[in-house]
Amino acid sequence: MKIELRHGAGGADTAGLIDSIFARHFHNAVLDKMEDGAVLPRPAGELVLTTDSFVVQPLEFSGGNIGRLAVCGTVNDLSCMGAVPKYLTAGFILEEGLETDTLERMVASMAATAKEAGVSIVAGDTKVIEGNGGMYINTAGAGIRPQGRCVSAANLCPGDQLILSGTLGEHHAVILSSRMGLQTSLKSDCAPLNAMTEALFSAGVSVHTMRDITRGGLATVACELAKASGCALAIEESALPVSEGVHALCGILGLDPLTMGNEGKLLIAVPQADTAHALATVKAVPYGENAAVIGTVCAGSGVTLQTAIGGRRVLSPLRGEGLPRIC
Amino acid sequence: MKNEQMAAYLTHYRGRPLRLMEVCGTHTSVLYRSGLRGMLPAQVAMLSGPGCPVCVTPTAYIDRLTELSLTPGVCVLSFGDMLAVPGSKLSLAGARARGGRVGFFYAPEQALKIAAKEPKTCFVLAAVGFETTAPVWAVLAETILQQGIQNVRLLTALKTMPLAMDALCETGDIDGFLCPGHVAVVSGSESFRPLADKWKKPMVVGGFTPELLLRALCRLLREAGERHSGVWNEYPAYVRRDGNSKAKAVVARVFETGPACWRGLGVLAGSGLYLRGKYAALDAGSGALYDDRAPEGCCCGKVLTGALTPQQCPLFGKACLPEHPVGACMVSSEGSCRITYLERGDSL
């Protein structure tokens, strides 16, 4: 069956769609009440809120899909603030012509990813617009930050070490290869990272800053952190983990792994004394096995890369469009 | 030599001052990304040449594309880099915002799939490039005719490099060339021999990894420093003396040479490739697009010929920025102005 405008009209067709797909897959005690809003217990600690919209093309790609991405993106934003992600809302904008089977696969994937991340999808909305069978998802997320966790882009200090939680560029490479019709064995790294961030806090690591590396890549994130903290970042090219597949694609297409997007990687800044412990902790959790120390925070400003061949390069944020609709 | 030895040779070069040109935009990009540009000694200047297809495309070509995109029933498809290049009135992105139909592709073959979905729309493909991409466009033109595809046309701006390098030798004081490796894969390292013989300069074909580029730079410094002339192939894994005969054959079947306008160099006879014979029916008006009125103050033409560095253009970093480029060299990811601007690192 294909989605038609009637599915978004708010009547029986909308209710049918909600019952047959959304309620069935997202099912939990709060959502099942089907009220106009989710009533949630008041948390202890600080409430952290975030929202993100997902418009990736194609909807399904090697290693993930728009549904998994919509959960991971919001969970990871909360996690990077030191929060424990708890609740998500999901808003769907569907284009007429979308196959309900496709929609159901995306929703099932969201449900599975939410379960993996330990979050509940407690409210939602669906609209249908004219179009060509596409779909877009907005997720908002609420998390609770326990007392004493002070994680912020402004917290970088000279002497901090930078840990990258894994290899660069997979998600970007997968989306690009898919659009170009290239056959590769690459998989998107799209993953929820809250287990990784919780492991760091549980291990007693004094985390100063965490950021997930998405559009714009490591170079853009590093420049943002340098600016927010008033510090300089020095990165070692030879320490950067890049998979063979991404390296090969970059060689063919003239891409730079430093400005390619991921959807399951963190840049983490910790005091020097905690570095070895933090690295071992990240490497021991899922999605962290290729983590590496990639650089240092220094006094000054801007981001420099010590290149593998012995040169030095100033890194700038990605400019211009990059690759459109990557997440 | 090992990488460390080559790096030491490069940084410790104390021979005569040299003005060398990297012709290819990808070389410009790798020189920056690898940090090699910063390792060069003060007396060696690397100038960026006319090897970025977006940068050398004249204004008249952009104007023709925007005009087509605003024509009912026509959709222009282009490489993404071309969308922001200013025409005399509009860029393709500007035309799109005013109702023009403009799409982009990552590889030209994709354009046929897009066109197949809308048989009543005429798709005009912006076929830009050098020797490297010409075979791809030639195969595409053959496919269009073989399959009887009715709704695809090409607006070509295809150029061949040696004649532009010849013009540069005539006007500039360049001591040697880092020759474009991708071009040489198709045309062969010997395609640069006549230039080396005529102008008594070293022509070094280089690859695109930092290591290969370092190797080619060391060779170029050594040969140019000692005023040697000749052709050196430092990209032998991919470049043969005579190039790729199959690729050359398909280009010869589909294209004939003609005059082409290069931003900064003007019209150079025989440096363009145009659809020939039965393929000419696919042409969307590519001939005589010579007008290259640059926006006021824009020095892209001088930057592309090594006469000015990007920083010497009065608009650089002021009126002309990556966010709102005035000249094509600030648009393309291989444009020397854009690369230089981002290299300064104070652009956040």
Side-chain angles (χ1 to χ4, degrees), chain B residues 7 27 36 41-42 84 122 139-140 213-214 255 264 286 291:
Chain B
H27 276 152
L36 279 170
C122 177
V139 169
L140 198 81
L213 195 53
L214 175 60
F255 295 113
S286 313
D291 190 2

mmCIF file with all atom_site columns, all heavy atoms in Angstrom, chain B residues 7 27 36 41-42 84 122 139-140 213-214 255 264 286 291:
data_model
loop_
_atom_site.group_PDB
_atom_site.id
_atom_site.type_symbol
_atom_site.label_atom_id
_atom_site.label_alt_id
_atom_site.label_comp_id
_atom_site.label_asym_id
_atom_site.label_entity_id
_atom_site.label_seq_id
_atom_site.pdbx_PDB_ins_code
_atom_site.Cartn_x
_atom_site.Cartn_y
_atom_site.Cartn_z
_atom_site.occupancy
_atom_site.B_iso_or_equiv
_atom_site.pdbx_formal_charge
_atom_site.auth_seq_id
_atom_site.auth_comp_id
_atom_site.auth_asym_id
_atom_site.auth_atom_id
_atom_site.pdbx_PDB_model_num
ATOM 1   N N   . ALA B 1 7   ? 61.598 14.904 2.073   1.00 0.00 ? 7   ALA B N   1
ATOM 2   C CA  . ALA B 1 7   ? 61.101 16.087 2.784   1.00 0.00 ? 7   ALA B CA  1
ATOM 3   C C   . ALA B 1 7   ? 62.273 17.002 3.149   1.00 0.00 ? 7   ALA B C   1
ATOM 4   O O   . ALA B 1 7   ? 62.177 18.234 3.034   1.00 0.00 ? 7   ALA B O   1
ATOM 5   C CB  . ALA B 1 7   ? 60.326 15.662 4.031   1.00 0.00 ? 7   ALA B CB  1
ATOM 6   N N   . HIS B 1 27  ? 46.130 18.846 -7.630  1.00 0.00 ? 27  HIS B N   1
ATOM 7   C CA  . HIS B 1 27  ? 47.460 19.060 -7.037  1.00 0.00 ? 27  HIS B CA  1
ATOM 8   C C   . HIS B 1 27  ? 47.435 20.244 -6.071  1.00 0.00 ? 27  HIS B C   1
ATOM 9   O O   . HIS B 1 27  ? 48.025 20.187 -4.993  1.00 0.00 ? 27  HIS B O   1
ATOM 10  C CB  . HIS B 1 27  ? 48.505 19.303 -8.140  1.00 0.00 ? 27  HIS B CB  1
ATOM 11  C CG  . HIS B 1 27  ? 49.036 18.028 -8.725  1.00 0.00 ? 27  HIS B CG  1
ATOM 12  N ND1 . HIS B 1 27  ? 49.514 17.934 -10.013 1.00 0.00 ? 27  HIS B ND1 1
ATOM 13  C CD2 . HIS B 1 27  ? 49.170 16.785 -8.197  1.00 0.00 ? 27  HIS B CD2 1
ATOM 14  C CE1 . HIS B 1 27  ? 49.925 16.699 -10.247 1.00 0.00 ? 27  HIS B CE1 1
ATOM 15  N NE2 . HIS B 1 27  ? 49.712 15.985 -9.159  1.00 0.00 ? 27  HIS B NE2 1
ATOM 16  N N   . LEU B 1 36  ? 52.412 20.161 2.314   1.00 0.00 ? 36  LEU B N   1
ATOM 17  C CA  . LEU B 1 36  ? 53.633 20.300 1.501   1.00 0.00 ? 36  LEU B CA  1
ATOM 18  C C   . LEU B 1 36  ? 53.887 21.761 1.120   1.00 0.00 ? 36  LEU B C   1
ATOM 19  O O   . LEU B 1 36  ? 55.033 22.199 1.044   1.00 0.00 ? 36  LEU B O   1
ATOM 20  C CB  . LEU B 1 36  ? 53.521 19.463 0.219   1.00 0.00 ? 36  LEU B CB  1
ATOM 21  C CG  . LEU B 1 36  ? 53.825 17.972 0.367   1.00 0.00 ? 36  LEU B CG  1
ATOM 22  C CD1 . LEU B 1 36  ? 53.437 17.227 -0.903  1.00 0.00 ? 36  LEU B CD1 1
ATOM 23  C CD2 . LEU B 1 36  ? 55.300 17.756 0.674   1.00 0.00 ? 36  LEU B CD2 1
ATOM 24  N N   . PRO B 1 41  ? 60.730 25.909 0.677   1.00 0.00 ? 41  PRO B N   1
ATOM 25  C CA  . PRO B 1 41  ? 61.596 27.007 1.106   1.00 0.00 ? 41  PRO B CA  1
ATOM 26  C C   . PRO B 1 41  ? 61.139 28.327 0.468   1.00 0.00 ? 41  PRO B C   1
ATOM 27  O O   . PRO B 1 41  ? 60.390 28.328 -0.510  1.00 0.00 ? 41  PRO B O   1
ATOM 28  C CB  . PRO B 1 41  ? 62.972 26.603 0.584   1.00 0.00 ? 41  PRO B CB  1
ATOM 29  C CG  . PRO B 1 41  ? 62.693 25.693 -0.556  1.00 0.00 ? 41  PRO B CG  1
ATOM 30  C CD  . PRO B 1 41  ? 61.404 24.991 -0.238  1.00 0.00 ? 41  PRO B CD  1
ATOM 31  N N   . ALA B 1 42  ? 61.595 29.431 1.057   1.00 0.00 ? 42  ALA B N   1
ATOM 32  C CA  . ALA B 1 42  ? 61.095 30.749 0.653   1.00 0.00 ? 42  ALA B CA  1
ATOM 33  C C   . ALA B 1 42  ? 61.348 31.046 -0.828  1.00 0.00 ? 42  ALA B C   1
ATOM 34  O O   . ALA B 1 42  ? 60.568 31.760 -1.458  1.00 0.00 ? 42  ALA B O   1
ATOM 35  C CB  . ALA B 1 42  ? 61.730 31.823 1.522   1.00 0.00 ? 42  ALA B CB  1
ATOM 36  N N   . ALA B 1 84  ? 27.456 27.476 -8.112  1.00 0.00 ? 84  ALA B N   1
ATOM 37  C CA  . ALA B 1 84  ? 27.634 28.789 -7.482  1.00 0.00 ? 84  ALA B CA  1
ATOM 38  C C   . ALA B 1 84  ? 28.496 29.740 -8.313  1.00 0.00 ? 84  ALA B C   1
ATOM 39  O O   . ALA B 1 84  ? 28.715 30.878 -7.908  1.00 0.00 ? 84  ALA B O   1
ATOM 40  C CB  . ALA B 1 84  ? 28.252 28.608 -6.095  1.00 0.00 ? 84  ALA B CB  1
ATOM 41  N N   . CYS B 1 122 ? 13.682 18.297 -21.781 1.00 0.00 ? 122 CYS B N   1
ATOM 42  C CA  . CYS B 1 122 ? 14.997 18.250 -22.425 1.00 0.00 ? 122 CYS B CA  1
ATOM 43  C C   . CYS B 1 122 ? 16.060 18.499 -21.362 1.00 0.00 ? 122 CYS B C   1
ATOM 44  O O   . CYS B 1 122 ? 16.057 19.559 -20.714 1.00 0.00 ? 122 CYS B O   1
ATOM 45  C CB  . CYS B 1 122 ? 15.088 19.300 -23.532 1.00 0.00 ? 122 CYS B CB  1
ATOM 46  S SG  . CYS B 1 122 ? 16.728 19.336 -24.276 1.00 0.00 ? 122 CYS B SG  1
ATOM 47  N N   . VAL B 1 139 ? 31.890 8.654  -24.290 1.00 0.00 ? 139 VAL B N   1
ATOM 48  C CA  . VAL B 1 139 ? 31.145 7.397  -24.139 1.00 0.00 ? 139 VAL B CA  1
ATOM 49  C C   . VAL B 1 139 ? 29.666 7.712  -23.928 1.00 0.00 ? 139 VAL B C   1
ATOM 50  O O   . VAL B 1 139 ? 28.782 7.044  -24.483 1.00 0.00 ? 139 VAL B O   1
ATOM 51  C CB  . VAL B 1 139 ? 31.714 6.570  -22.961 1.00 0.00 ? 139 VAL B CB  1
ATOM 52  C CG1 . VAL B 1 139 ? 30.792 5.411  -22.615 1.00 0.00 ? 139 VAL B CG1 1
ATOM 53  C CG2 . VAL B 1 139 ? 33.113 6.072  -23.295 1.00 0.00 ? 139 VAL B CG2 1
ATOM 54  N N   . LEU B 1 140 ? 29.396 8.755  -23.161 1.00 0.00 ? 140 LEU B N   1
ATOM 55  C CA  . LEU B 1 140 ? 28.005 9.139  -22.909 1.00 0.00 ? 140 LEU B CA  1
ATOM 56  C C   . LEU B 1 140 ? 27.313 9.537  -24.215 1.00 0.00 ? 140 LEU B C   1
ATOM 57  O O   . LEU B 1 140 ? 26.170 9.142  -24.479 1.00 0.00 ? 140 LEU B O   1
ATOM 58  C CB  . LEU B 1 140 ? 27.963 10.298 -21.906 1.00 0.00 ? 140 LEU B CB  1
ATOM 59  C CG  . LEU B 1 140 ? 26.626 10.507 -21.227 1.00 0.00 ? 140 LEU B CG  1
ATOM 60  C CD1 . LEU B 1 140 ? 26.457 9.530  -20.059 1.00 0.00 ? 140 LEU B CD1 1
ATOM 61  C CD2 . LEU B 1 140 ? 26.494 11.932 -20.714 1.00 0.00 ? 140 LEU B CD2 1
ATOM 62  N N   . LEU B 1 213 ? 53.308 13.227 -4.536  1.00 0.00 ? 213 LEU B N   1
ATOM 63  C CA  . LEU B 1 213 ? 53.474 14.645 -4.833  1.00 0.00 ? 213 LEU B CA  1
ATOM 64  C C   . LEU B 1 213 ? 54.837 15.140 -4.332  1.00 0.00 ? 213 LEU B C   1
ATOM 65  O O   . LEU B 1 213 ? 55.510 15.923 -5.003  1.00 0.00 ? 213 LEU B O   1
ATOM 66  C CB  . LEU B 1 213 ? 52.323 15.427 -4.194  1.00 0.00 ? 213 LEU B CB  1
ATOM 67  C CG  . LEU B 1 213 ? 52.130 16.852 -4.675  1.00 0.00 ? 213 LEU B CG  1
ATOM 68  C CD1 . LEU B 1 213 ? 52.024 16.933 -6.189  1.00 0.00 ? 213 LEU B CD1 1
ATOM 69  C CD2 . LEU B 1 213 ? 50.865 17.449 -4.048  1.00 0.00 ? 213 LEU B CD2 1
ATOM 70  N N   . LEU B 1 214 ? 55.225 14.657 -3.169  1.00 0.00 ? 214 LEU B N   1
ATOM 71  C CA  . LEU B 1 214 ? 56.541 15.014 -2.628  1.00 0.00 ? 214 LEU B CA  1
ATOM 72  C C   . LEU B 1 214 ? 57.645 14.550 -3.586  1.00 0.00 ? 214 LEU B C   1
ATOM 73  O O   . LEU B 1 214 ? 58.583 15.286 -3.894  1.00 0.00 ? 214 LEU B O   1
ATOM 74  C CB  . LEU B 1 214 ? 56.709 14.361 -1.245  1.00 0.00 ? 214 LEU B CB  1
ATOM 75  C CG  . LEU B 1 214 ? 58.059 14.524 -0.561  1.00 0.00 ? 214 LEU B CG  1
ATOM 76  C CD1 . LEU B 1 214 ? 58.388 15.998 -0.338  1.00 0.00 ? 214 LEU B CD1 1
ATOM 77  C CD2 . LEU B 1 214 ? 58.075 13.780 0.785   1.00 0.00 ? 214 LEU B CD2 1
ATOM 78  N N   . PHE B 1 255 ? 34.700 13.749 -30.776 1.00 0.00 ? 255 PHE B N   1
ATOM 79  C CA  . PHE B 1 255 ? 35.005 15.179 -30.719 1.00 0.00 ? 255 PHE B CA  1
ATOM 80  C C   . PHE B 1 255 ? 35.991 15.599 -31.801 1.00 0.00 ? 255 PHE B C   1
ATOM 81  O O   . PHE B 1 255 ? 36.807 14.801 -32.256 1.00 0.00 ? 255 PHE B O   1
ATOM 82  C CB  . PHE B 1 255 ? 35.616 15.542 -29.355 1.00 0.00 ? 255 PHE B CB  1
ATOM 83  C CG  . PHE B 1 255 ? 34.668 15.351 -28.198 1.00 0.00 ? 255 PHE B CG  1
ATOM 84  C CD1 . PHE B 1 255 ? 34.924 14.372 -27.241 1.00 0.00 ? 255 PHE B CD1 1
ATOM 85  C CD2 . PHE B 1 255 ? 33.535 16.145 -28.044 1.00 0.00 ? 255 PHE B CD2 1
ATOM 86  C CE1 . PHE B 1 255 ? 34.064 14.194 -26.155 1.00 0.00 ? 255 PHE B CE1 1
ATOM 87  C CE2 . PHE B 1 255 ? 32.671 15.976 -26.969 1.00 0.00 ? 255 PHE B CE2 1
ATOM 88  C CZ  . PHE B 1 255 ? 32.938 14.994 -26.026 1.00 0.00 ? 255 PHE B CZ  1
ATOM 89  N N   . GLY B 1 264 ? 41.332 34.037 -18.307 1.00 0.00 ? 264 GLY B N   1
ATOM 90  C CA  . GLY B 1 264 ? 42.713 34.458 -18.063 1.00 0.00 ? 264 GLY B CA  1
ATOM 91  C C   . GLY B 1 264 ? 43.614 34.344 -19.266 1.00 0.00 ? 264 GLY B C   1
ATOM 92  O O   . GLY B 1 264 ? 44.599 35.063 -19.395 1.00 0.00 ? 264 GLY B O   1
ATOM 93  N N   . SER B 1 286 ? 27.270 25.030 -27.997 1.00 0.00 ? 286 SER B N   1
ATOM 94  C CA  . SER B 1 286 ? 28.532 25.190 -27.271 1.00 0.00 ? 286 SER B CA  1
ATOM 95  C C   . SER B 1 286 ? 29.539 26.077 -27.985 1.00 0.00 ? 286 SER B C   1
ATOM 96  O O   . SER B 1 286 ? 30.534 26.490 -27.380 1.00 0.00 ? 286 SER B O   1
ATOM 97  C CB  . SER B 1 286 ? 29.178 23.811 -27.062 1.00 0.00 ? 286 SER B CB  1
ATOM 98  O OG  . SER B 1 286 ? 28.241 22.880 -26.600 1.00 0.00 ? 286 SER B OG  1
ATOM 99  N N   . ASP B 1 291 ? 32.703 35.168 -24.616 1.00 0.00 ? 291 ASP B N   1
ATOM 100 C CA  . ASP B 1 291 ? 32.649 36.364 -23.784 1.00 0.00 ? 291 ASP B CA  1
ATOM 101 C C   . ASP B 1 291 ? 33.008 35.998 -22.339 1.00 0.00 ? 291 ASP B C   1
ATOM 102 O O   . ASP B 1 291 ? 32.422 35.094 -21.760 1.00 0.00 ? 291 ASP B O   1
ATOM 103 C CB  . ASP B 1 291 ? 31.229 36.939 -23.843 1.00 0.00 ? 291 ASP B CB  1
ATOM 104 C CG  . ASP B 1 291 ? 31.171 38.316 -23.204 1.00 0.00 ? 291 ASP B CG  1
ATOM 105 O OD1 . ASP B 1 291 ? 32.233 38.797 -22.763 1.00 0.00 ? 291 ASP B OD1 1
ATOM 106 O OD2 . ASP B 1 291 ? 30.073 38.893 -23.127 1.00 0.00 ? 291 ASP B OD2 1
#
